[in-house]
Amino acid sequence: MGINGMVLPEEEHPVKAFGWAARDPSGILSPFNFSRRETGEEDVKVKVLYCGICHSDLHNIKNERGTAKYPMVPGHEMTGEVIEVGSKVRNFKVGDKAAVGVIIGSCGSPSSCQYCAKDLENYCSKRMLTYNSAYYDGSWNYGGYSDIIVVNEHFVYQIPSNLPLDATAPLLCAGITTYSPLRYFELDKPGLSIAVVGLGGLGHMAVKFAKAFGEKVTVISRSLSKKKEAIEHLGADSFLISSDADQMQAATGTFDGIIDTVSALHPIMPLISLLKQDGKLVLLGSKTIDSPVVIGERKVVGTSVIGSVKETQEMLDFCAKHDIVSDIELIQMDYVNTAMERLEKADVKYRFVIDVGNSLKTAQA
């Protein structure tokens, strides 16, 4: 028992676990002993081999959203190997490759939840996040910067055999966050003209998906330095500098859809002006709008949040068919604090992935 009779994290459940956790809003991560629940009838226990670092991990460990509970083990982009399954599990067996993403639960009630009834668990008001959230019994959920995780089978994904585990990990967040709106808003048709705003973890995936759909893709960025990367490496067809008034004017009314991945405050009216009639602007950043929106034409502004379980599996299968993975920088666990500092400066192309299986230290915290 801990101070004031509080149950210690390593005593909360019967299965010992180990990871790296933040203890306070400094966000500094360090070794952490805790525990996982036993594998239930419908659960899958996964040995975490790789875990991507999402920008939301940085926000959360620093309590920038005001919802942090410490200690916090971040990470919601996991790939690994199944090491135990419950008696009622049907889609996984020991030894299978498996992935875990942003959500690990929802109300699951089709009779009372319009979202769960439509297989849209990501919009369920009772969706359970992979970390920094409470499990059904009130115990706290810890994420993928750790050796193992136990998850209900419904929220575990099958990884096609041709996808590498390390570069697949970011697909569980950056991938599905861009794939889902392209599909839902019907911006997935060959020949469409699509713009992607921002060329980071989300943006580079949006470019890859749009190209795989057979579309003409333009990257919009403030930085000319990203033009060569966008066109020569990612295959974008053109590049537009958002701060160049002449270029923006020339592009007025030319796009069927725009995927805006920028999370920093910025005006969106200049982007709306780039849309054709009936064009669609999809906002994926968490802090996007910084100006009044006045639309005098028939255009759509929409939002999207990750994707459903069904969409996520569909996305992984699509990636396997089209040889799509994230561009990553593979790091050791003890580099994670430096990686967070670099991520804050956007100094990564395009996603850090922790080599958990080969570098997680098992020394006592």
Side-chain angles (χ1 to χ4, degrees), residues 53-282:
I53 297 180
C54 178
H55 210 286
S56 63
D57 294 345
L58 180 61
H59 291 312
N60 288 330
I61 61 175
K62 290 180 174 291
N63 197 25
E64 292 176 357
R65 294 167 174 166
T67 59
K69 178 179 177 180
Y70 302 102
M72 181 193 301
V73 177
H76 57 210
E77 300 178 345
M78 286 162 271
T79 57
E81 179 182 337
V82 175
I83 57 175
E84 188 178 15
V85 298
S87 60
K88 294 184 178 180
V89 170
R90 295 292 176 261
N91 296 319
F92 293 92
K93 64 182 184 301
V94 172
D96 284 351
K97 294 195 295 183
V100 179
V102 180
I103 55 174
I104 56 171
S106 68
C107 79
S109 176
S111 61
S112 61
C113 177
Q114 61 174 318
Y115 300 114
C116 289
K118 298 176 182 177
D119 295 323
L120 294 171
E121 305 90 342
N122 50 312
Y123 294 111
C124 174
S125 63
K126 296 181 180 179
R127 67 181 180 271
M128 185 187 302
L129 299 179
T130 302
Y131 71 92
N132 197 43
S133 68
Y135 189 62
Y136 300 114
D137 62 4
S139 62
W140 210 239
N141 289 318
Y142 297 108
Y145 297 14
S146 60
D147 54 359
I148 57 171
I149 190 167
V150 180
V151 180
N152 182 282
E153 176 187 24
H154 183 71
F155 296 92
V156 182
Y157 305 100
Q158 297 177 332
I159 302 177
S161 60
N162 65 316
L163 289 180
L165 293 184
D166 53 359
T168 294
L171 300 180
L172 278 299
C173 182
I176 187 57
T177 297
T178 49
Y179 179 87
S180 177
L182 283 167
R183 294 280 285 165
Y184 174 76
F185 289 100
E186 299 183 335
L187 300 176
D188 58 349
K189 305 297 186 289
L192 292 182
S193 182
I194 302 296
V196 176
V197 185
L199 196 60
L202 296 181
H204 92 289
M205 290 307 309
V207 172
K208 291 187 178 190
F209 286 134
K211 289 299 298 181
F213 289 136
E215 298 166 332
K216 180 182 178 182
V217 181
T218 298
V219 170
I220 301 177
S221 175
R222 295 178 301 172
S223 176
L224 180 61
S225 63
K226 295 185 177 181
K227 181 176 181 178
K228 182 177 180 180
E229 176 79 7
I231 294 177
E232 295 184 8
H233 177 64
L234 295 175
D237 299 285
S238 57
F239 190 89
L240 179 60
I241 301 175
S242 58
S243 58
D244 188 314
D246 291 338
Q247 287 190 24
M248 292 289 283
Q249 179 63 36
T252 298
T254 60
F255 295 114
D256 297 291
I258 300 175
I259 302 294
D260 185 352
T261 70
V262 176
S263 60
L265 291 171
H266 63 284
I268 65 168
M269 278 306 300
L271 299 177
I272 293 173
S273 71
L274 302 181
L275 292 171
K276 299 177 182 178
Q277 179 179 308
D278 297 322
K280 301 166 184 175
L281 168 63
V282 184

